[in-house]
Structures are given as C-alpha cells and as structure tokens.
Amino acid sequence: MTSKAYLEGIQKQFKYYKSLGEKTINQLPEEKLFWQYNDDSNSIAIIVKHLWGNMKSRWTDFLTTDGEKAWRERDAEFDNDIKTKSELLKKWNEGWQCLFEALESVSEDNFDQPIYIRNIEHSITEAMNRQLAHYSYHVGQIVFLGKMITNEKWQSLSIPKGQSSAYNKERFATPKHKAHYTDKLMDTPPES
C-alpha cells in the first residue's frame, strides 16, 4: 500500500467515526447530552470534551511537536462543565477540524518522519492508527449512550437488525470493484 492510499483510507475512516458521533448527537434532545449514569461515568458531553482535548493536543503541529502538549489539561477534560449543545458542537468541530488539517499536512515527502507522543517515537501510520483506535473507542461509547438514552426511538447507524440478508444481497448484486467500505455507509441516512 502506498502512503497516498493509506492517507486516503485513514481519512475516510476518521470521517466515518465523526459521522457516527454526529448522527448519534442529532438523535438526542439537548438535555440528554449531559446525562450521566452515575458520578463516575461520562456523559456524551464529557466524552466530546475529552476527544476535543486529545485532538487539539495530538494534531496541532502534528509533524513538528510532541503530541502531548504542555498546555493540555487532560484531567480538566473530564469536568462536566459544557452547558449547551452549541458549546458541545463547537468543541466537536474544532477537534475534528484540527485533525483533518493535520492530515492534509502529511504527504509522500514527509511520510517517513517520526512522530512523538509523550517522547515515544511513532511512525506516522502508528500515530494515526493509535488515534483512530482511541477515537473509535470513544465514539462507540457515544453511540452506546445514545442508544440507551433513546431506547426504542433509536435510529440504526448501520445495518438495522433483521436486514443483514437484504443488505448483503444488494452488495453482492454488484460486480467486484474498488471502493472504501465506509463509502456506502456514510451516504446512507439512519433508518427510521
């Protein structure tokens, strides 16, 4: 796999997880974004704040500075102090914008340079894969909380229960071709 193909693929994967989080947030009334199971658990707002802090730290000056910035206040990311959906979405979008701008700075010319996170050297693929795994973990938490909160009103973000055979039939009805697995998933709105 070329560095160009890797970069295109990882960008699509990040966009996919961003869309899952957004589709979940959009299904919830504003007050439910701040719901916590108990004092030791995180609300969707807290998870978003943590993702924002991590993204700003890891992706600001991605190619030139350590991914754990001196100005980051990680512990404060878990304070439940976001008060509105608007504030939550501002942080969500700032974090993702920082990530996507950093991805644009990577090319075949600088793809082999090392990246450091807490003084540990990573290849660019290792650093990006590390963050993809971290963000998909937290987006999964957001989706799980959203599904619990909405209960029977939940709109599926993937193949709805009981529709796998129909989905596979449609997929296998087309000839083999080159595509990214997220392409069709991101174009399809949630089922009603």
Side-chain angles (χ1 to χ4, degrees), residues 29-74:
E30 183 169 14
E31 70 275 3
K32 295 298 185 181
L33 297 170
F34 310 100
W35 176 80
Q36 291 177 257
Y37 176 73
N38 60 35
D39 289 340
D40 292 327
S41 64
N42 294 323
S43 66
I44 289 173
I46 291 171
I47 296 168
V48 167
K49 187 176 174 193
H50 169 58
L51 285 168
W52 165 80
N54 180 279
M55 289 175 179
K56 294 292 281 185
S57 184
R58 293 291 183 267
W59 300 99
T60 298
D61 302 324
F62 176 66
L63 296 170
T64 58
T65 63
D66 194 284
E68 186 65 18
K69 305 296 186 282
W71 45 257
R72 182 180 183 199
E73 297 180 16
R74 185 183 180 281

mmCIF file of all heavy atoms in Angstrom, residues 29-74:
data_model
loop_
_atom_site.group_PDB
_atom_site.id
_atom_site.type_symbol
_atom_site.label_atom_id
_atom_site.label_comp_id
_atom_site.label_asym_id
_atom_site.label_seq_id
_atom_site.Cartn_x
_atom_site.Cartn_y
_atom_site.Cartn_z
ATOM 1 N N PRO A 29 -32.264 14.762 22.455
ATOM 2 C CA PRO A 29 -32.619 16.095 22.943
ATOM 3 C C PRO A 29 -31.413 16.688 23.677
ATOM 4 O O PRO A 29 -30.601 15.956 24.256
ATOM 5 C CB PRO A 29 -33.770 15.828 23.920
ATOM 6 C CG PRO A 29 -34.050 14.378 23.900
ATOM 7 C CD PRO A 29 -32.998 13.692 23.088
ATOM 8 N N GLU A 30 -31.302 17.989 23.656
ATOM 9 C CA GLU A 30 -30.127 18.656 24.227
ATOM 10 C C GLU A 30 -29.797 18.205 25.643
ATOM 11 O O GLU A 30 -28.646 17.897 25.954
ATOM 12 C CB GLU A 30 -30.322 20.178 24.195
ATOM 13 C CG GLU A 30 -29.113 20.938 24.709
ATOM 14 C CD GLU A 30 -29.182 22.433 24.443
ATOM 15 O OE1 GLU A 30 -30.256 22.948 24.093
ATOM 16 O OE2 GLU A 30 -28.144 23.087 24.578
ATOM 17 N N GLU A 31 -30.797 18.122 26.511
ATOM 18 C CA GLU A 31 -30.516 17.806 27.921
ATOM 19 C C GLU A 31 -29.921 16.411 28.094
ATOM 20 O O GLU A 31 -29.191 16.145 29.055
ATOM 21 C CB GLU A 31 -31.777 17.972 28.786
ATOM 22 C CG GLU A 31 -32.865 16.956 28.558
ATOM 23 C CD GLU A 31 -33.816 17.281 27.396
ATOM 24 O OE1 GLU A 31 -33.610 18.291 26.688
ATOM 25 O OE2 GLU A 31 -34.763 16.502 27.188
ATOM 26 N N LYS A 32 -30.190 15.500 27.164
ATOM 27 C CA LYS A 32 -29.678 14.129 27.282
ATOM 28 C C LYS A 32 -28.185 14.034 26.956
ATOM 29 O O LYS A 32 -27.534 13.049 27.300
ATOM 30 C CB LYS A 32 -30.462 13.181 26.381
ATOM 31 C CG LYS A 32 -31.922 13.042 26.777
ATOM 32 C CD LYS A 32 -32.074 12.463 28.163
ATOM 33 C CE LYS A 32 -33.537 12.216 28.502
ATOM 34 N NZ LYS A 32 -33.697 11.679 29.848
ATOM 35 N N LEU A 33 -27.628 15.051 26.320
ATOM 36 C CA LEU A 33 -26.192 15.058 26.023
ATOM 37 C C LEU A 33 -25.352 15.178 27.296
ATOM 38 O O LEU A 33 -24.160 14.895 27.289
ATOM 39 C CB LEU A 33 -25.860 16.212 25.074
ATOM 40 C CG LEU A 33 -26.519 16.137 23.702
ATOM 41 C CD1 LEU A 33 -26.330 17.445 22.945
ATOM 42 C CD2 LEU A 33 -25.974 14.966 22.902
ATOM 43 N N PHE A 34 -25.988 15.567 28.397
ATOM 44 C CA PHE A 34 -25.284 15.800 29.661
ATOM 45 C C PHE A 34 -25.626 14.742 30.712
ATOM 46 O O PHE A 34 -25.157 14.805 31.837
ATOM 47 C CB PHE A 34 -25.639 17.207 30.175
ATOM 48 C CG PHE A 34 -25.470 18.244 29.104
ATOM 49 C CD1 PHE A 34 -26.560 18.726 28.402
ATOM 50 C CD2 PHE A 34 -24.210 18.689 28.746
ATOM 51 C CE1 PHE A 34 -26.407 19.649 27.380
ATOM 52 C CE2 PHE A 34 -24.039 19.614 27.725
ATOM 53 C CZ PHE A 34 -25.136 20.096 27.041
ATOM 54 N N TRP A 35 -26.428 13.744 30.303
ATOM 55 C CA TRP A 35 -26.840 12.693 31.227
ATOM 56 C C TRP A 35 -25.656 11.791 31.588
ATOM 57 O O TRP A 35 -24.872 11.399 30.730
ATOM 58 C CB TRP A 35 -27.953 11.841 30.596
ATOM 59 C CG TRP A 35 -28.361 10.678 31.447
ATOM 60 C CD1 TRP A 35 -29.192 10.702 32.521
ATOM 61 C CD2 TRP A 35 -27.930 9.325 31.302
ATOM 62 N NE1 TRP A 35 -29.321 9.436 33.053
ATOM 63 C CE2 TRP A 35 -28.544 8.574 32.318
ATOM 64 C CE3 TRP A 35 -27.076 8.664 30.418
ATOM 65 C CZ2 TRP A 35 -28.357 7.211 32.483
ATOM 66 C CZ3 TRP A 35 -26.882 7.293 30.569
ATOM 67 C CH2 TRP A 35 -27.516 6.584 31.593
ATOM 68 N N GLN A 36 -25.530 11.479 32.872
ATOM 69 C CA GLN A 36 -24.506 10.543 33.355
ATOM 70 C C GLN A 36 -25.201 9.412 34.104
ATOM 71 O O GLN A 36 -26.118 9.659 34.896
ATOM 72 C CB GLN A 36 -23.550 11.237 34.320
ATOM 73 C CG GLN A 36 -22.657 12.258 33.671
ATOM 74 C CD GLN A 36 -21.787 12.962 34.706
ATOM 75 O OE1 GLN A 36 -22.091 14.093 35.060
ATOM 76 N NE2 GLN A 36 -20.737 12.311 35.163
ATOM 77 N N TYR A 37 -24.762 8.206 33.873
ATOM 78 C CA TYR A 37 -25.312 7.052 34.581
ATOM 79 C C TYR A 37 -25.090 7.207 36.079
ATOM 80 O O TYR A 37 -25.961 6.918 36.885
ATOM 81 C CB TYR A 37 -24.678 5.766 34.048
ATOM 82 C CG TYR A 37 -25.101 4.527 34.783
ATOM 83 C CD1 TYR A 37 -26.380 4.009 34.617
ATOM 84 C CD2 TYR A 37 -24.231 3.885 35.656
ATOM 85 C CE1 TYR A 37 -26.785 2.877 35.304
ATOM 86 C CE2 TYR A 37 -24.625 2.754 36.346
ATOM 87 C CZ TYR A 37 -25.899 2.252 36.172
ATOM 88 O OH TYR A 37 -26.293 1.135 36.854
ATOM 89 N N ASN A 38 -23.881 7.631 36.457
ATOM 90 C CA ASN A 38 -23.561 7.947 37.848
ATOM 91 C C ASN A 38 -22.415 8.964 37.853
ATOM 92 O O ASN A 38 -21.930 9.350 36.782
ATOM 93 C CB ASN A 38 -23.218 6.675 38.650
ATOM 94 C CG ASN A 38 -22.024 5.932 38.084
ATOM 95 O OD1 ASN A 38 -21.076 6.521 37.571
ATOM 96 N ND2 ASN A 38 -22.061 4.611 38.168
ATOM 97 N N ASP A 39 -21.992 9.381 39.010
ATOM 98 C CA ASP A 39 -20.957 10.425 39.096
ATOM 99 C C ASP A 39 -19.612 9.992 38.529
ATOM 100 O O ASP A 39 -18.798 10.841 38.152
ATOM 101 C CB ASP A 39 -20.769 10.879 40.550
ATOM 102 C CG ASP A 39 -21.951 11.694 41.059
ATOM 103 O OD1 ASP A 39 -22.713 12.218 40.215
ATOM 104 O OD2 ASP A 39 -22.109 11.799 42.294
ATOM 105 N N ASP A 40 -19.351 8.695 38.472
ATOM 106 C CA ASP A 40 -18.077 8.206 37.953
ATOM 107 C C ASP A 40 -18.106 7.915 36.457
ATOM 108 O O ASP A 40 -17.092 7.560 35.876
ATOM 109 C CB ASP A 40 -17.647 6.933 38.698
ATOM 110 C CG ASP A 40 -17.279 7.224 40.145
ATOM 111 O OD1 ASP A 40 -16.759 8.322 40.414
ATOM 112 O OD2 ASP A 40 -17.535 6.352 41.003
ATOM 113 N N SER A 41 -19.267 8.040 35.838
ATOM 114 C CA SER A 41 -19.363 7.768 34.405
ATOM 115 C C SER A 41 -19.332 9.077 33.633
ATOM 116 O O SER A 41 -19.481 10.159 34.200
ATOM 117 C CB SER A 41 -20.641 6.986 34.092
ATOM 118 O OG SER A 41 -21.777 7.754 34.389
ATOM 119 N N ASN A 42 -19.116 8.965 32.334
ATOM 120 C CA ASN A 42 -19.028 10.146 31.478
ATOM 121 C C ASN A 42 -20.305 10.340 30.676
ATOM 122 O O ASN A 42 -20.872 9.386 30.157
ATOM 123 C CB ASN A 42 -17.850 10.012 30.507
ATOM 124 C CG ASN A 42 -16.527 10.012 31.231
ATOM 125 O OD1 ASN A 42 -16.339 10.706 32.209
ATOM 126 N ND2 ASN A 42 -15.588 9.218 30.745
ATOM 127 N N SER A 43 -20.718 11.581 30.569
ATOM 128 C CA SER A 43 -21.807 11.929 29.665
ATOM 129 C C SER A 43 -21.247 12.041 28.256
ATOM 130 O O SER A 43 -20.025 12.069 28.049
ATOM 131 C CB SER A 43 -22.416 13.271 30.082
ATOM 132 O OG SER A 43 -21.467 14.315 29.888
ATOM 133 N N ILE A 44 -22.125 12.147 27.286
ATOM 134 C CA ILE A 44 -21.677 12.388 25.916
ATOM 135 C C ILE A 44 -20.887 13.688 25.857
ATOM 136 O O ILE A 44 -19.848 13.767 25.197
ATOM 137 C CB ILE A 44 -22.877 12.377 24.950
ATOM 138 C CG1 ILE A 44 -23.406 10.941 24.804
ATOM 139 C CG2 ILE A 44 -22.505 12.970 23.594
ATOM 140 C CD1 ILE A 44 -24.690 10.808 24.023
ATOM 141 N N ALA A 45 -21.335 14.711 26.571
ATOM 142 C CA ALA A 45 -20.623 15.999 26.578
ATOM 143 C C ALA A 45 -19.200 15.847 27.113
ATOM 144 O O ALA A 45 -18.262 16.438 26.561
ATOM 145 C CB ALA A 45 -21.406 17.027 27.394
ATOM 146 N N ILE A 46 -19.025 15.065 28.155
ATOM 147 C CA ILE A 46 -17.679 14.858 28.716
ATOM 148 C C ILE A 46 -16.808 14.102 27.713
ATOM 149 O O ILE A 46 -15.634 14.443 27.518
ATOM 150 C CB ILE A 46 -17.747 14.110 30.065
ATOM 151 C CG1 ILE A 46 -18.368 15.018 31.140
ATOM 152 C CG2 ILE A 46 -16.361 13.642 30.504
ATOM 153 C CD1 ILE A 46 -18.676 14.311 32.451
ATOM 154 N N ILE A 47 -17.353 13.094 27.071
ATOM 155 C CA ILE A 47 -16.582 12.341 26.075
ATOM 156 C C ILE A 47 -16.171 13.258 24.931
ATOM 157 O O ILE A 47 -15.020 13.229 24.475
ATOM 158 C CB ILE A 47 -17.375 11.120 25.562
ATOM 159 C CG1 ILE A 47 -17.630 10.130 26.707
ATOM 160 C CG2 ILE A 47 -16.625 10.434 24.415
ATOM 161 C CD1 ILE A 47 -18.641 9.042 26.379
ATOM 162 N N VAL A 48 -17.090 14.106 24.475
ATOM 163 C CA VAL A 48 -16.758 15.062 23.414
ATOM 164 C C VAL A 48 -15.651 15.998 23.864
ATOM 165 O O VAL A 48 -14.706 16.273 23.119
ATOM 166 C CB VAL A 48 -18.014 15.860 22.973
ATOM 167 C CG1 VAL A 48 -17.637 17.064 22.119
ATOM 168 C CG2 VAL A 48 -18.975 14.946 22.217
ATOM 169 N N LYS A 49 -15.728 16.479 25.096
ATOM 170 C CA LYS A 49 -14.700 17.397 25.610
ATOM 171 C C LYS A 49 -13.335 16.697 25.655
ATOM 172 O O LYS A 49 -12.310 17.292 25.315
ATOM 173 C CB LYS A 49 -15.102 17.904 26.993
ATOM 174 C CG LYS A 49 -14.184 18.980 27.525
ATOM 175 C CD LYS A 49 -14.690 19.497 28.859
ATOM 176 C CE LYS A 49 -13.693 20.464 29.457
ATOM 177 N NZ LYS A 49 -13.996 20.731 30.874
ATOM 178 N N HIS A 50 -13.322 15.443 26.068
ATOM 179 C CA HIS A 50 -12.061 14.687 26.090
ATOM 180 C C HIS A 50 -11.525 14.477 24.672
ATOM 181 O O HIS A 50 -10.325 14.661 24.425
ATOM 182 C CB HIS A 50 -12.265 13.347 26.791
ATOM 183 C CG HIS A 50 -11.108 12.419 26.632
ATOM 184 N ND1 HIS A 50 -9.822 12.738 27.030
ATOM 185 C CD2 HIS A 50 -11.027 11.172 26.089
ATOM 186 C CE1 HIS A 50 -9.009 11.729 26.750
ATOM 187 N NE2 HIS A 50 -9.717 10.771 26.167
ATOM 188 N N LEU A 51 -12.392 14.106 23.739
ATOM 189 C CA LEU A 51 -11.947 13.953 22.351
ATOM 190 C C LEU A 51 -11.362 15.263 21.827
ATOM 191 O O LEU A 51 -10.311 15.270 21.180
ATOM 192 C CB LEU A 51 -13.104 13.499 21.462
ATOM 193 C CG LEU A 51 -13.524 12.034 21.580
ATOM 194 C CD1 LEU A 51 -14.845 11.800 20.871
ATOM 195 C CD2 LEU A 51 -12.441 11.123 21.036
ATOM 196 N N TRP A 52 -12.045 16.377 22.097
ATOM 197 C CA TRP A 52 -11.568 17.701 21.687
ATOM 198 C C TRP A 52 -10.164 17.963 22.242
ATOM 199 O O TRP A 52 -9.265 18.364 21.499
ATOM 200 C CB TRP A 52 -12.563 18.765 22.172
ATOM 201 C CG TRP A 52 -12.055 20.160 22.154
ATOM 202 C CD1 TRP A 52 -11.964 20.985 21.074
ATOM 203 C CD2 TRP A 52 -11.578 20.911 23.269
ATOM 204 N NE1 TRP A 52 -11.457 22.212 21.452
ATOM 205 C CE2 TRP A 52 -11.211 22.185 22.808
ATOM 206 C CE3 TRP A 52 -11.422 20.623 24.634
ATOM 207 C CZ2 TRP A 52 -10.706 23.177 23.645
ATOM 208 C CZ3 TRP A 52 -10.918 21.604 25.470
ATOM 209 C CH2 TRP A 52 -10.568 22.858 24.971
ATOM 210 N N GLY A 53 -9.978 17.742 23.532
ATOM 211 C CA GLY A 53 -8.670 17.992 24.147
ATOM 212 C C GLY A 53 -7.586 17.115 23.559
ATOM 213 O O GLY A 53 -6.472 17.577 23.274
ATOM 214 N N ASN A 54 -7.906 15.853 23.354
ATOM 215 C CA ASN A 54 -6.936 14.934 22.775
ATOM 216 C C ASN A 54 -6.602 15.336 21.343
ATOM 217 O O ASN A 54 -5.434 15.370 20.950
ATOM 218 C CB ASN A 54 -7.467 13.500 22.828
ATOM 219 C CG ASN A 54 -6.502 12.510 22.249
ATOM 220 O OD1 ASN A 54 -6.418 12.342 21.027
ATOM 221 N ND2 ASN A 54 -5.754 11.843 23.111
ATOM 222 N N MET A 55 -7.627 15.637 20.546
ATOM 223 C CA MET A 55 -7.388 16.008 19.145
ATOM 224 C C MET A 55 -6.568 17.288 19.034
ATOM 225 O O MET A 55 -5.636 17.360 18.228
ATOM 226 C CB MET A 55 -8.720 16.177 18.411
ATOM 227 C CG MET A 55 -9.443 14.882 18.163
ATOM 228 S SD MET A 55 -11.074 15.202 17.438
ATOM 229 C CE MET A 55 -11.671 13.545 17.214
ATOM 230 N N LYS A 56 -6.897 18.282 19.839
ATOM 231 C CA LYS A 56 -6.143 19.536 19.779
ATOM 232 C C LYS A 56 -4.683 19.292 20.151
ATOM 233 O O LYS A 56 -3.774 19.843 19.525
ATOM 234 C CB LYS A 56 -6.765 20.585 20.711
ATOM 235 C CG LYS A 56 -8.149 21.041 20.297
ATOM 236 C CD LYS A 56 -8.165 21.846 19.027
ATOM 237 C CE LYS A 56 -7.746 23.265 19.284
ATOM 238 N NZ LYS A 56 -7.859 24.138 18.112
ATOM 239 N N SER A 57 -4.447 18.451 21.131
ATOM 240 C CA SER A 57 -3.079 18.162 21.554
ATOM 241 C C SER A 57 -2.329 17.323 20.525
ATOM 242 O O SER A 57 -1.206 17.650 20.136
ATOM 243 C CB SER A 57 -3.095 17.448 22.908
ATOM 244 O OG SER A 57 -1.789 17.233 23.384
ATOM 245 N N ARG A 58 -2.936 16.245 20.080
ATOM 246 C CA ARG A 58 -2.246 15.329 19.171
ATOM 247 C C ARG A 58 -2.009 15.919 17.783
ATOM 248 O O ARG A 58 -0.991 15.642 17.165
ATOM 249 C CB ARG A 58 -3.048 14.032 18.996
ATOM 250 C CG ARG A 58 -3.155 13.181 20.226
ATOM 251 C CD ARG A 58 -1.826 12.551 20.625
ATOM 252 N NE ARG A 58 -2.005 11.689 21.774
ATOM 253 C CZ ARG A 58 -1.847 12.065 23.028
ATOM 254 N NH1 ARG A 58 -1.495 13.308 23.299
ATOM 255 N NH2 ARG A 58 -2.026 11.211 24.016
ATOM 256 N N TRP A 59 -2.941 16.721 17.273
ATOM 257 C CA TRP A 59 -2.885 17.116 15.869
ATOM 258 C C TRP A 59 -2.375 18.536 15.635
ATOM 259 O O TRP A 59 -2.060 18.881 14.499
ATOM 260 C CB TRP A 59 -4.250 16.912 15.220
ATOM 261 C CG TRP A 59 -4.691 15.479 15.282
ATOM 262 C CD1 TRP A 59 -5.555 14.924 16.175
ATOM 263 C CD2 TRP A 59 -4.253 14.413 14.431
ATOM 264 N NE1 TRP A 59 -5.700 13.576 15.930
ATOM 265 C CE2 TRP A 59 -4.901 13.235 14.866
ATOM 266 C CE3 TRP A 59 -3.382 14.335 13.353
ATOM 267 C CZ2 TRP A 59 -4.717 12.002 14.248
ATOM 268 C CZ3 TRP A 59 -3.193 13.104 12.727
ATOM 269 C CH2 TRP A 59 -3.850 11.959 13.188
ATOM 270 N N THR A 60 -2.288 19.371 16.661
ATOM 271 C CA THR A 60 -1.680 20.693 16.499
ATOM 272 C C THR A 60 -0.185 20.496 16.274
ATOM 273 O O THR A 60 0.473 19.805 17.053
ATOM 274 C CB THR A 60 -1.930 21.569 17.753
ATOM 275 O OG1 THR A 60 -3.341 21.753 17.912
ATOM 276 C CG2 THR A 60 -1.239 22.913 17.630
ATOM 277 N N ASP A 61 0.339 21.063 15.211
ATOM 278 C CA ASP A 61 1.757 20.904 14.854
ATOM 279 C C ASP A 61 2.159 19.429 14.852
ATOM 280 O O ASP A 61 3.204 19.039 15.372
ATOM 281 C CB ASP A 61 2.652 21.707 15.806
ATOM 282 C CG ASP A 61 2.313 23.184 15.813
ATOM 283 O OD1 ASP A 61 1.965 23.719 14.740
ATOM 284 O OD2 ASP A 61 2.385 23.807 16.894
ATOM 285 N N PHE A 62 1.316 18.617 14.241
ATOM 286 C CA PHE A 62 1.461 17.159 14.221
ATOM 287 C C PHE A 62 2.853 16.697 13.807
ATOM 288 O O PHE A 62 3.416 15.789 14.395
ATOM 289 C CB PHE A 62 0.399 16.567 13.274
ATOM 290 C CG PHE A 62 0.483 15.082 13.079
ATOM 291 C CD1 PHE A 62 0.226 14.213 14.116
ATOM 292 C CD2 PHE A 62 0.799 14.548 11.833
ATOM 293 C CE1 PHE A 62 0.283 12.838 13.938
ATOM 294 C CE2 PHE A 62 0.853 13.177 11.637
ATOM 295 C CZ PHE A 62 0.597 12.321 12.692
ATOM 296 N N LEU A 63 3.412 17.335 12.808
ATOM 297 C CA LEU A 63 4.692 16.885 12.256
ATOM 298 C C LEU A 63 5.905 17.425 13.009
ATOM 299 O O LEU A 63 7.016 16.945 12.791
ATOM 300 C CB LEU A 63 4.793 17.291 10.779
ATOM 301 C CG LEU A 63 3.775 16.639 9.850
ATOM 302 C CD1 LEU A 63 3.808 17.305 8.476
ATOM 303 C CD2 LEU A 63 4.015 15.146 9.732
ATOM 304 N N THR A 64 5.703 18.399 13.885
ATOM 305 C CA THR A 64 6.869 19.086 14.454
ATOM 306 C C THR A 64 6.960 19.079 15.973
ATOM 307 O O THR A 64 8.033 19.363 16.507
ATOM 308 C CB THR A 64 6.906 20.552 13.975
ATOM 309 O OG1 THR A 64 5.679 21.196 14.362
ATOM 310 C CG2 THR A 64 7.078 20.631 12.464
ATOM 311 N N THR A 65 5.870 18.798 16.684
ATOM 312 C CA THR A 65 5.944 18.821 18.149
ATOM 313 C C THR A 65 5.336 17.553 18.737
ATOM 314 O O THR A 65 4.544 16.866 18.098
ATOM 315 C CB THR A 65 5.195 20.038 18.741
ATOM 316 O OG1 THR A 65 3.801 19.940 18.410
ATOM 317 C CG2 THR A 65 5.759 21.349 18.222
ATOM 318 N N ASP A 66 5.708 17.260 19.974
ATOM 319 C CA ASP A 66 5.167 16.091 20.665
ATOM 320 C C ASP A 66 3.645 16.193 20.739
ATOM 321 O O ASP A 66 3.097 17.275 20.954
ATOM 322 C CB ASP A 66 5.756 16.016 22.077
ATOM 323 C CG ASP A 66 5.504 14.665 22.737
ATOM 324 O OD1 ASP A 66 4.357 14.414 23.177
ATOM 325 O OD2 ASP A 66 6.435 13.858 22.794
ATOM 326 N N GLY A 67 2.976 15.073 20.580
ATOM 327 C CA GLY A 67 1.521 15.033 20.586
ATOM 328 C C GLY A 67 0.892 15.294 21.941
ATOM 329 O O GLY A 67 -0.307 15.540 22.028
ATOM 330 N N GLU A 68 1.651 15.242 22.997
ATOM 331 C CA GLU A 68 1.131 15.596 24.321
ATOM 332 C C GLU A 68 1.670 16.972 24.661
ATOM 333 O O GLU A 68 2.788 17.128 25.129
ATOM 334 C CB GLU A 68 1.551 14.566 25.376
ATOM 335 C CG GLU A 68 0.928 14.788 26.734
ATOM 336 C CD GLU A 68 -0.584 14.619 26.754
ATOM 337 O OE1 GLU A 68 -1.182 14.013 25.838
ATOM 338 O OE2 GLU A 68 -1.200 15.108 27.725
ATOM 339 N N LYS A 69 0.863 17.994 24.365
ATOM 340 C CA LYS A 69 1.301 19.378 24.524
ATOM 341 C C LYS A 69 1.358 19.778 25.990
ATOM 342 O O LYS A 69 0.539 19.337 26.804
ATOM 343 C CB LYS A 69 0.355 20.329 23.777
ATOM 344 C CG LYS A 69 0.169 20.003 22.301
ATOM 345 C CD LYS A 69 1.455 20.153 21.503
ATOM 346 C CE LYS A 69 1.247 19.970 20.018
ATOM 347 N NZ LYS A 69 1.117 18.594 19.585
ATOM 348 N N ALA A 70 2.295 20.666 26.317
ATOM 349 C CA ALA A 70 2.443 21.167 27.686
ATOM 350 C C ALA A 70 1.191 21.926 28.132
ATOM 351 O O ALA A 70 0.861 21.943 29.323
ATOM 352 C CB ALA A 70 3.678 22.059 27.782
ATOM 353 N N TRP A 71 0.467 22.530 27.189
ATOM 354 C CA TRP A 71 -0.716 23.314 27.530
ATOM 355 C C TRP A 71 -1.979 22.479 27.717
ATOM 356 O O TRP A 71 -3.003 22.967 28.164
ATOM 357 C CB TRP A 71 -0.992 24.417 26.497
ATOM 358 C CG TRP A 71 -0.887 24.009 25.063
ATOM 359 C CD1 TRP A 71 0.140 24.280 24.214
ATOM 360 C CD2 TRP A 71 -1.845 23.265 24.284
ATOM 361 N NE1 TRP A 71 -0.112 23.760 22.959
ATOM 362 C CE2 TRP A 71 -1.326 23.136 22.971
ATOM 363 C CE3 TRP A 71 -3.092 22.708 24.551
ATOM 364 C CZ2 TRP A 71 -1.999 22.465 21.945
ATOM 365 C CZ3 TRP A 71 -3.766 22.038 23.543
ATOM 366 C CH2 TRP A 71 -3.213 21.931 22.263
ATOM 367 N N ARG A 72 -1.910 21.198 27.388
ATOM 368 C CA ARG A 72 -3.095 20.349 27.543
ATOM 369 C C ARG A 72 -3.393 20.126 29.027
ATOM 370 O O ARG A 72 -2.506 19.842 29.820
ATOM 371 C CB ARG A 72 -2.886 19.000 26.863
ATOM 372 C CG ARG A 72 -4.115 18.106 26.950
ATOM 373 C CD ARG A 72 -3.912 16.771 26.291
ATOM 374 N NE ARG A 72 -5.146 15.989 26.333
ATOM 375 C CZ ARG A 72 -5.198 14.685 26.166
ATOM 376 N NH1 ARG A 72 -4.090 13.991 25.918
ATOM 377 N NH2 ARG A 72 -6.348 14.053 26.230
ATOM 378 N N GLU A 73 -4.654 20.203 29.389
ATOM 379 C CA GLU A 73 -5.097 19.915 30.753
ATOM 380 C C GLU A 73 -6.041 18.727 30.712
ATOM 381 O O GLU A 73 -7.263 18.869 30.810
ATOM 382 C CB GLU A 73 -5.767 21.148 31.364
ATOM 383 C CG GLU A 73 -4.816 22.323 31.504
ATOM 384 C CD GLU A 73 -5.476 23.541 32.116
ATOM 385 O OE1 GLU A 73 -6.570 23.415 32.719
ATOM 386 O OE2 GLU A 73 -4.891 24.621 31.984
ATOM 387 N N ARG A 74 -5.464 17.539 30.572
ATOM 388 C CA ARG A 74 -6.259 16.330 30.354
ATOM 389 C C ARG A 74 -7.279 16.080 31.455
ATOM 390 O O ARG A 74 -8.431 15.730 31.185
ATOM 391 C CB ARG A 74 -5.341 15.115 30.185
ATOM 392 C CG ARG A 74 -6.110 13.850 29.828
ATOM 393 C CD ARG A 74 -5.189 12.635 29.725
ATOM 394 N NE ARG A 74 -5.942 11.449 29.393
ATOM 395 C CZ ARG A 74 -6.651 10.739 30.274
ATOM 396 N NH1 ARG A 74 -6.688 11.089 31.558
ATOM 397 N NH2 ARG A 74 -7.325 9.669 29.889
#
